[in-house]
């Protein structure tokens, strides 16, 4: 009963305040009401599209990405769908027509306006107090309890009020400087998973290098906090060693507020031991505000898309082979820690076409409707080639640590539905030339950085 009252009070307060504000501006009650409905419809459509592809409804932190959707529309807008966009545009056009062509302006008495504002604000405040203590910060559960608009508002309040302390990176870590600082290369490979879990007709040679390294490296499944997107959540958990749930509401975009201050990370740990720390990412450094955040995370240098122009592309993005070349160019400047974030296998996959040469990706032809998987495998094969080339280069140089992992599963909702795939884990390996044979070990992403430091001989449990 309390949840229902809170939901009604918060949602009603938001809608009423929106209506009152628009009425004050346009002095047309029908127009104001229609705009409120259209705004709610647009938010609901965006949330529905996100839920369908990413299995999470809209959260308040998503509004911080709105400007990125305008600057990088290919990464966002195709997920909304053409008919949904057309419906939203038609609703907006109808609202304008109703307001400006049909309805005459009316004067609303000031006393009535003030009374409405006070009532709506009181409803919103009371409902917020009642709901805040019951929030789970599990978006699907909270939306089911309180409604989408209420959750957006409540998450905004939580973001403004919650300021969790900066946690120590990699709990229990005891750093030690090795006699020789070997190169450390970490690759966060876009959407990397062992796709043979999806369909057993995939040619095993697509991941030949990954299989070879896993035979002697530490490897396994990697639990990540996202499905199909939101790279920064996995990325921050890896670099910081902080479990997402410890961030409270900041888990949804740690770069938005939480990481704008110095946070101990794998990069800052490496730098304290004498490494030069470099991030390589063939996309604008401003994406996810990395240009402002990464210096506070311990990086000396950020090499972004500007350093790759001109560069060979595979699909719409810079090819993994180009990132490989740039990583290798940094290895001669020892000691170096390189964190590379690839882009080649970034979706939307359905915007790329299947070609005749893709048939070699399978030993058994896939069912109809698997074009997204075919495009994904084309880029996955290139990612595997990158992994093999980096391992070969480190072996040629005599030593070095290579960590490879996926940030999230690729966005292929149709394929997942067809095969009943529900596993959000990606795959990883940590390898060093000549390292003893390692067993499989499934990890959470926040535990992976410690394995990197251990492989480099830079960390161990306190004695």
């Amino acid at each position: 009963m309390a949840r229902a009252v809170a939901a009604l009070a918060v949602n009603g307060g938001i809608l009423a305040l929106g209506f009152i504000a628009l009425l004050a501006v346009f002095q047309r009650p029908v127009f104001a009401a229609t705009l409120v409905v259209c705004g709610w419809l647009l938010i609901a459509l965006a949330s529905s599209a996100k839920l369908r592809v990413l299995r999470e409804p809209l959260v308040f932190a998503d509004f911080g990405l709105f400007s990125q959707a305008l600057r990088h529309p290919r990464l966002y807008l195709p997920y909304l769908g053409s008919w949904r966009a057309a419906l939203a545009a038609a609703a907006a056009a109808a609202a304008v027509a109703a307001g400006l062509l049909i309805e005459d302006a009316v004067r609303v008495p000031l006393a009535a306006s003030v009374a409405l504002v006070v009532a709506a604000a009181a409803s919103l405040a009371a409902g917020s107090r009642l709901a805040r203590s019951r929030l789970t910060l599990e978006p699907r559960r909270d939306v089911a309890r309180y409604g989408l608009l209420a959750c957006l508002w409540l998450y905004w309040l939580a973001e403004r009020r919650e300021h969790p302390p900066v946690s120590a990176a990699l709990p229990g870590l005891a750093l030690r400087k090795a006699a020789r600082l070997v190169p450390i290369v970490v690759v966060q490979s876009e959407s990397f998973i062992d796709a043979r879990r999806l369909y057993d007709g995939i040619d095993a040679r697509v991941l030949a290098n990954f299989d070879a390294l896993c035979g002697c490296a530490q490897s396994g499944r990697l639990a990540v906090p996202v499905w199909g997107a939101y790279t920064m959540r996995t990325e921050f958990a890896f670099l910081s060693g902080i479990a997402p749930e410890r961030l409270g509401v900041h888990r949804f975009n740690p770069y938005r507020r939480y990481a704008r201050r110095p946070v101990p990370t794998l990069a800052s740990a490496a730098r304290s031991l004498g490494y030069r720390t470099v991030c390589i990412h063939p996309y604008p450094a401003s994406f996810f505000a990395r240009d402002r955040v990464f210096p506070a995370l311990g990086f000396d240098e950020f090499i972004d898309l500007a350093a790759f122009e001109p560069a060979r592309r595979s699909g719409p993005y810079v090819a993994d082979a180009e990132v490989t070349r740039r990583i290798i160019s940094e290895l001669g400047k020892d000691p170096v820690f390189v964190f590379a974030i690839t882009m080649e296998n970034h979706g939307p996959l359905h915007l790329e076409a299947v070609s005749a040469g893709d048939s070699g990706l399978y030993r058994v032809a896939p069912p109809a409707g698997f074009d997204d998987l075919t495009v994904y495998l084309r880029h996955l094969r290139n990612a595997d080639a990158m992994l093999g080339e980096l391992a070969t280069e480190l072996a040629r140089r005599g030593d070095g640590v290579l960590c490879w992992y996926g940030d999230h599963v690729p966005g292929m909702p149709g394929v997942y539905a067809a095969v009943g795939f529900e596993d959000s884990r990606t795959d990883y390996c940590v390898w060093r030339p000549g390292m003893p044979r390692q067993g499989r070990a499934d990890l959470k992403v926040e535990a992976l950085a410690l394995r990197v430091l251990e492989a480099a001989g830079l960390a161990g449990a306190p004695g």
Side-chain angles (χ1 to χ4, degrees), residues 349-366:
L349 297 168
H350 66 270
L351 297 185
E352 296 185 57
V354 172
S355 65
D358 293 331
S359 59
L361 298 166
Y362 299 96
R363 57 179 182 80
V364 178

mmCIF file with all atom_site columns, all heavy atoms in Angstrom, residues 349-366:
data_model
loop_
_atom_site.group_PDB
_atom_site.id
_atom_site.type_symbol
_atom_site.label_atom_id
_atom_site.label_alt_id
_atom_site.label_comp_id
_atom_site.label_asym_id
_atom_site.label_entity_id
_atom_site.label_seq_id
_atom_site.pdbx_PDB_ins_code
_atom_site.Cartn_x
_atom_site.Cartn_y
_atom_site.Cartn_z
_atom_site.occupancy
_atom_site.B_iso_or_equiv
_atom_site.pdbx_formal_charge
_atom_site.auth_seq_id
_atom_site.auth_comp_id
_atom_site.auth_asym_id
_atom_site.auth_atom_id
_atom_site.pdbx_PDB_model_num
ATOM 1   N N   . LEU A 1 349 ? 25.212 -3.704  -34.939 1.00 0.00 ? 349 LEU A N   1
ATOM 2   C CA  . LEU A 1 349 ? 25.665 -4.681  -35.929 1.00 0.00 ? 349 LEU A CA  1
ATOM 3   C C   . LEU A 1 349 ? 24.720 -4.766  -37.113 1.00 0.00 ? 349 LEU A C   1
ATOM 4   O O   . LEU A 1 349 ? 25.152 -5.075  -38.238 1.00 0.00 ? 349 LEU A O   1
ATOM 5   C CB  . LEU A 1 349 ? 25.807 -6.053  -35.268 1.00 0.00 ? 349 LEU A CB  1
ATOM 6   C CG  . LEU A 1 349 ? 26.857 -6.129  -34.141 1.00 0.00 ? 349 LEU A CG  1
ATOM 7   C CD1 . LEU A 1 349 ? 26.700 -7.431  -33.361 1.00 0.00 ? 349 LEU A CD1 1
ATOM 8   C CD2 . LEU A 1 349 ? 28.272 -6.012  -34.698 1.00 0.00 ? 349 LEU A CD2 1
ATOM 9   N N   . HIS A 1 350 ? 23.434 -4.493  -36.899 1.00 0.00 ? 350 HIS A N   1
ATOM 10  C CA  . HIS A 1 350 ? 22.471 -4.669  -37.981 1.00 0.00 ? 350 HIS A CA  1
ATOM 11  C C   . HIS A 1 350 ? 22.624 -3.615  -39.077 1.00 0.00 ? 350 HIS A C   1
ATOM 12  O O   . HIS A 1 350 ? 21.999 -3.739  -40.135 1.00 0.00 ? 350 HIS A O   1
ATOM 13  C CB  . HIS A 1 350 ? 21.036 -4.664  -37.433 1.00 0.00 ? 350 HIS A CB  1
ATOM 14  C CG  . HIS A 1 350 ? 20.606 -3.346  -36.856 1.00 0.00 ? 350 HIS A CG  1
ATOM 15  N ND1 . HIS A 1 350 ? 20.781 -3.023  -35.535 1.00 0.00 ? 350 HIS A ND1 1
ATOM 16  C CD2 . HIS A 1 350 ? 20.004 -2.274  -37.428 1.00 0.00 ? 350 HIS A CD2 1
ATOM 17  C CE1 . HIS A 1 350 ? 20.303 -1.813  -35.306 1.00 0.00 ? 350 HIS A CE1 1
ATOM 18  N NE2 . HIS A 1 350 ? 19.827 -1.328  -36.447 1.00 0.00 ? 350 HIS A NE2 1
ATOM 19  N N   . LEU A 1 351 ? 23.471 -2.604  -38.843 1.00 0.00 ? 351 LEU A N   1
ATOM 20  C CA  . LEU A 1 351 ? 23.704 -1.606  -39.885 1.00 0.00 ? 351 LEU A CA  1
ATOM 21  C C   . LEU A 1 351 ? 24.776 -2.036  -40.877 1.00 0.00 ? 351 LEU A C   1
ATOM 22  O O   . LEU A 1 351 ? 24.994 -1.352  -41.867 1.00 0.00 ? 351 LEU A O   1
ATOM 23  C CB  . LEU A 1 351 ? 24.103 -0.270  -39.252 1.00 0.00 ? 351 LEU A CB  1
ATOM 24  C CG  . LEU A 1 351 ? 23.063 0.400   -38.358 1.00 0.00 ? 351 LEU A CG  1
ATOM 25  C CD1 . LEU A 1 351 ? 23.547 1.761   -37.907 1.00 0.00 ? 351 LEU A CD1 1
ATOM 26  C CD2 . LEU A 1 351 ? 21.711 0.525   -39.071 1.00 0.00 ? 351 LEU A CD2 1
ATOM 27  N N   . GLU A 1 352 ? 25.453 -3.153  -40.595 1.00 0.00 ? 352 GLU A N   1
ATOM 28  C CA  . GLU A 1 352 ? 26.460 -3.670  -41.513 1.00 0.00 ? 352 GLU A CA  1
ATOM 29  C C   . GLU A 1 352 ? 25.892 -4.861  -42.290 1.00 0.00 ? 352 GLU A C   1
ATOM 30  O O   . GLU A 1 352 ? 25.063 -5.616  -41.773 1.00 0.00 ? 352 GLU A O   1
ATOM 31  C CB  . GLU A 1 352 ? 27.715 -4.098  -40.763 1.00 0.00 ? 352 GLU A CB  1
ATOM 32  C CG  . GLU A 1 352 ? 28.431 -2.953  -40.064 1.00 0.00 ? 352 GLU A CG  1
ATOM 33  C CD  . GLU A 1 352 ? 29.735 -3.404  -39.429 1.00 0.00 ? 352 GLU A CD  1
ATOM 34  O OE1 . GLU A 1 352 ? 30.598 -3.933  -40.153 1.00 0.00 ? 352 GLU A OE1 1
ATOM 35  O OE2 . GLU A 1 352 ? 29.864 -3.253  -38.199 1.00 0.00 ? 352 GLU A OE2 1
ATOM 36  N N   . ALA A 1 353 ? 26.366 -5.023  -43.517 1.00 0.00 ? 353 ALA A N   1
ATOM 37  C CA  . ALA A 1 353 ? 25.852 -6.086  -44.381 1.00 0.00 ? 353 ALA A CA  1
ATOM 38  C C   . ALA A 1 353 ? 26.744 -7.315  -44.332 1.00 0.00 ? 353 ALA A C   1
ATOM 39  O O   . ALA A 1 353 ? 27.960 -7.218  -44.161 1.00 0.00 ? 353 ALA A O   1
ATOM 40  C CB  . ALA A 1 353 ? 25.746 -5.573  -45.820 1.00 0.00 ? 353 ALA A CB  1
ATOM 41  N N   . VAL A 1 354 ? 26.116 -8.467  -44.484 1.00 0.00 ? 354 VAL A N   1
ATOM 42  C CA  . VAL A 1 354 ? 26.849 -9.730  -44.608 1.00 0.00 ? 354 VAL A CA  1
ATOM 43  C C   . VAL A 1 354 ? 27.409 -9.829  -46.017 1.00 0.00 ? 354 VAL A C   1
ATOM 44  O O   . VAL A 1 354 ? 26.761 -9.440  -46.993 1.00 0.00 ? 354 VAL A O   1
ATOM 45  C CB  . VAL A 1 354 ? 25.915 -10.922 -44.313 1.00 0.00 ? 354 VAL A CB  1
ATOM 46  C CG1 . VAL A 1 354 ? 26.588 -12.239 -44.622 1.00 0.00 ? 354 VAL A CG1 1
ATOM 47  C CG2 . VAL A 1 354 ? 25.441 -10.869 -42.864 1.00 0.00 ? 354 VAL A CG2 1
ATOM 48  N N   . SER A 1 355 ? 28.638 -10.334 -46.135 1.00 0.00 ? 355 SER A N   1
ATOM 49  C CA  . SER A 1 355 ? 29.267 -10.490 -47.447 1.00 0.00 ? 355 SER A CA  1
ATOM 50  C C   . SER A 1 355 ? 29.528 -11.964 -47.736 1.00 0.00 ? 355 SER A C   1
ATOM 51  O O   . SER A 1 355 ? 29.465 -12.813 -46.841 1.00 0.00 ? 355 SER A O   1
ATOM 52  C CB  . SER A 1 355 ? 30.582 -9.709  -47.502 1.00 0.00 ? 355 SER A CB  1
ATOM 53  O OG  . SER A 1 355 ? 31.524 -10.250 -46.582 1.00 0.00 ? 355 SER A OG  1
ATOM 54  N N   . ALA A 1 356 ? 29.849 -12.253 -48.992 1.00 0.00 ? 356 ALA A N   1
ATOM 55  C CA  . ALA A 1 356 ? 30.076 -13.647 -49.406 1.00 0.00 ? 356 ALA A CA  1
ATOM 56  C C   . ALA A 1 356 ? 31.245 -14.264 -48.648 1.00 0.00 ? 356 ALA A C   1
ATOM 57  O O   . ALA A 1 356 ? 31.246 -15.459 -48.330 1.00 0.00 ? 356 ALA A O   1
ATOM 58  C CB  . ALA A 1 356 ? 30.314 -13.698 -50.905 1.00 0.00 ? 356 ALA A CB  1
ATOM 59  N N   . GLY A 1 357 ? 32.253 -13.459 -48.319 1.00 0.00 ? 357 GLY A N   1
ATOM 60  C CA  . GLY A 1 357 ? 33.422 -13.991 -47.630 1.00 0.00 ? 357 GLY A CA  1
ATOM 61  C C   . GLY A 1 357 ? 33.169 -14.403 -46.198 1.00 0.00 ? 357 GLY A C   1
ATOM 62  O O   . GLY A 1 357 ? 34.013 -15.065 -45.586 1.00 0.00 ? 357 GLY A O   1
ATOM 63  N N   . ASP A 1 358 ? 32.013 -14.066 -45.676 1.00 0.00 ? 358 ASP A N   1
ATOM 64  C CA  . ASP A 1 358 ? 31.707 -14.403 -44.285 1.00 0.00 ? 358 ASP A CA  1
ATOM 65  C C   . ASP A 1 358 ? 31.309 -15.857 -44.094 1.00 0.00 ? 358 ASP A C   1
ATOM 66  O O   . ASP A 1 358 ? 31.181 -16.313 -42.952 1.00 0.00 ? 358 ASP A O   1
ATOM 67  C CB  . ASP A 1 358 ? 30.588 -13.505 -43.759 1.00 0.00 ? 358 ASP A CB  1
ATOM 68  C CG  . ASP A 1 358 ? 31.015 -12.044 -43.651 1.00 0.00 ? 358 ASP A CG  1
ATOM 69  O OD1 . ASP A 1 358 ? 32.220 -11.803 -43.434 1.00 0.00 ? 358 ASP A OD1 1
ATOM 70  O OD2 . ASP A 1 358 ? 30.148 -11.162 -43.787 1.00 0.00 ? 358 ASP A OD2 1
ATOM 71  N N   . SER A 1 359 ? 31.101 -16.573 -45.165 1.00 0.00 ? 359 SER A N   1
ATOM 72  C CA  . SER A 1 359 ? 30.684 -17.978 -45.036 1.00 0.00 ? 359 SER A CA  1
ATOM 73  C C   . SER A 1 359 ? 31.750 -18.814 -44.338 1.00 0.00 ? 359 SER A C   1
ATOM 74  O O   . SER A 1 359 ? 31.445 -19.825 -43.693 1.00 0.00 ? 359 SER A O   1
ATOM 75  C CB  . SER A 1 359 ? 30.370 -18.569 -46.408 1.00 0.00 ? 359 SER A CB  1
ATOM 76  O OG  . SER A 1 359 ? 31.517 -18.499 -47.248 1.00 0.00 ? 359 SER A OG  1
ATOM 77  N N   . GLY A 1 360 ? 33.016 -18.404 -44.440 1.00 0.00 ? 360 GLY A N   1
ATOM 78  C CA  . GLY A 1 360 ? 34.099 -19.141 -43.801 1.00 0.00 ? 360 GLY A CA  1
ATOM 79  C C   . GLY A 1 360 ? 34.114 -19.032 -42.293 1.00 0.00 ? 360 GLY A C   1
ATOM 80  O O   . GLY A 1 360 ? 34.936 -19.679 -41.635 1.00 0.00 ? 360 GLY A O   1
ATOM 81  N N   . LEU A 1 361 ? 33.217 -18.235 -41.741 1.00 0.00 ? 361 LEU A N   1
ATOM 82  C CA  . LEU A 1 361 ? 33.144 -18.096 -40.293 1.00 0.00 ? 361 LEU A CA  1
ATOM 83  C C   . LEU A 1 361 ? 32.433 -19.277 -39.638 1.00 0.00 ? 361 LEU A C   1
ATOM 84  O O   . LEU A 1 361 ? 32.470 -19.422 -38.418 1.00 0.00 ? 361 LEU A O   1
ATOM 85  C CB  . LEU A 1 361 ? 32.407 -16.807 -39.930 1.00 0.00 ? 361 LEU A CB  1
ATOM 86  C CG  . LEU A 1 361 ? 33.063 -15.502 -40.396 1.00 0.00 ? 361 LEU A CG  1
ATOM 87  C CD1 . LEU A 1 361 ? 32.076 -14.342 -40.270 1.00 0.00 ? 361 LEU A CD1 1
ATOM 88  C CD2 . LEU A 1 361 ? 34.322 -15.219 -39.572 1.00 0.00 ? 361 LEU A CD2 1
ATOM 89  N N   . TYR A 1 362 ? 31.785 -20.089 -40.443 1.00 0.00 ? 362 TYR A N   1
ATOM 90  C CA  . TYR A 1 362 ? 30.986 -21.207 -39.933 1.00 0.00 ? 362 TYR A CA  1
ATOM 91  C C   . TYR A 1 362 ? 31.452 -22.525 -40.528 1.00 0.00 ? 362 TYR A C   1
ATOM 92  O O   . TYR A 1 362 ? 31.923 -22.587 -41.664 1.00 0.00 ? 362 TYR A O   1
ATOM 93  C CB  . TYR A 1 362 ? 29.509 -21.011 -40.300 1.00 0.00 ? 362 TYR A CB  1
ATOM 94  C CG  . TYR A 1 362 ? 28.866 -19.771 -39.738 1.00 0.00 ? 362 TYR A CG  1
ATOM 95  C CD1 . TYR A 1 362 ? 28.773 -18.599 -40.492 1.00 0.00 ? 362 TYR A CD1 1
ATOM 96  C CD2 . TYR A 1 362 ? 28.318 -19.773 -38.460 1.00 0.00 ? 362 TYR A CD2 1
ATOM 97  C CE1 . TYR A 1 362 ? 28.160 -17.461 -39.992 1.00 0.00 ? 362 TYR A CE1 1
ATOM 98  C CE2 . TYR A 1 362 ? 27.701 -18.635 -37.944 1.00 0.00 ? 362 TYR A CE2 1
ATOM 99  C CZ  . TYR A 1 362 ? 27.628 -17.484 -38.714 1.00 0.00 ? 362 TYR A CZ  1
ATOM 100 O OH  . TYR A 1 362 ? 27.019 -16.360 -38.211 1.00 0.00 ? 362 TYR A OH  1
ATOM 101 N N   . ARG A 1 363 ? 31.282 -23.571 -39.757 1.00 0.00 ? 363 ARG A N   1
ATOM 102 C CA  . ARG A 1 363 ? 31.420 -24.917 -40.320 1.00 0.00 ? 363 ARG A CA  1
ATOM 103 C C   . ARG A 1 363 ? 30.049 -25.482 -40.651 1.00 0.00 ? 363 ARG A C   1
ATOM 104 O O   . ARG A 1 363 ? 29.927 -26.397 -41.467 1.00 0.00 ? 363 ARG A O   1
ATOM 105 C CB  . ARG A 1 363 ? 32.165 -25.843 -39.367 1.00 0.00 ? 363 ARG A CB  1
ATOM 106 C CG  . ARG A 1 363 ? 31.566 -25.984 -37.987 1.00 0.00 ? 363 ARG A CG  1
ATOM 107 C CD  . ARG A 1 363 ? 32.357 -26.931 -37.110 1.00 0.00 ? 363 ARG A CD  1
ATOM 108 N NE  . ARG A 1 363 ? 31.733 -27.082 -35.810 1.00 0.00 ? 363 ARG A NE  1
ATOM 109 C CZ  . ARG A 1 363 ? 30.684 -27.867 -35.570 1.00 0.00 ? 363 ARG A CZ  1
ATOM 110 N NH1 . ARG A 1 363 ? 30.154 -28.581 -36.539 1.00 0.00 ? 363 ARG A NH1 1
ATOM 111 N NH2 . ARG A 1 363 ? 30.171 -27.943 -34.349 1.00 0.00 ? 363 ARG A NH2 1
ATOM 112 N N   . VAL A 1 364 ? 29.022 -24.927 -40.013 1.00 0.00 ? 364 VAL A N   1
ATOM 113 C CA  . VAL A 1 364 ? 27.633 -25.250 -40.331 1.00 0.00 ? 364 VAL A CA  1
ATOM 114 C C   . VAL A 1 364 ? 26.899 -23.928 -40.506 1.00 0.00 ? 364 VAL A C   1
ATOM 115 O O   . VAL A 1 364 ? 26.933 -23.079 -39.611 1.00 0.00 ? 364 VAL A O   1
ATOM 116 C CB  . VAL A 1 364 ? 26.953 -26.078 -39.215 1.00 0.00 ? 364 VAL A CB  1
ATOM 117 C CG1 . VAL A 1 364 ? 25.496 -26.355 -39.569 1.00 0.00 ? 364 VAL A CG1 1
ATOM 118 C CG2 . VAL A 1 364 ? 27.712 -27.370 -38.962 1.00 0.00 ? 364 VAL A CG2 1
ATOM 119 N N   . ALA A 1 365 ? 26.268 -23.743 -41.658 1.00 0.00 ? 365 ALA A N   1
ATOM 120 C CA  . ALA A 1 365 ? 25.598 -22.476 -41.939 1.00 0.00 ? 365 ALA A CA  1
ATOM 121 C C   . ALA A 1 365 ? 24.578 -22.146 -40.849 1.00 0.00 ? 365 ALA A C   1
ATOM 122 O O   . ALA A 1 365 ? 23.856 -23.035 -40.381 1.00 0.00 ? 365 ALA A O   1
ATOM 123 C CB  . ALA A 1 365 ? 24.918 -22.537 -43.299 1.00 0.00 ? 365 ALA A CB  1
ATOM 124 N N   . PRO A 1 366 ? 24.490 -20.884 -40.442 1.00 0.00 ? 366 PRO A N   1
ATOM 125 C CA  . PRO A 1 366 ? 23.561 -20.509 -39.368 1.00 0.00 ? 366 PRO A CA  1
ATOM 126 C C   . PRO A 1 366 ? 22.137 -20.443 -39.878 1.00 0.00 ? 366 PRO A C   1
ATOM 127 O O   . PRO A 1 366 ? 21.891 -20.341 -41.082 1.00 0.00 ? 366 PRO A O   1
ATOM 128 C CB  . PRO A 1 366 ? 24.070 -19.130 -38.961 1.00 0.00 ? 366 PRO A CB  1
ATOM 129 C CG  . PRO A 1 366 ? 24.630 -18.568 -40.234 1.00 0.00 ? 366 PRO A CG  1
ATOM 130 C CD  . PRO A 1 366 ? 25.255 -19.731 -40.955 1.00 0.00 ? 366 PRO A CD  1
#
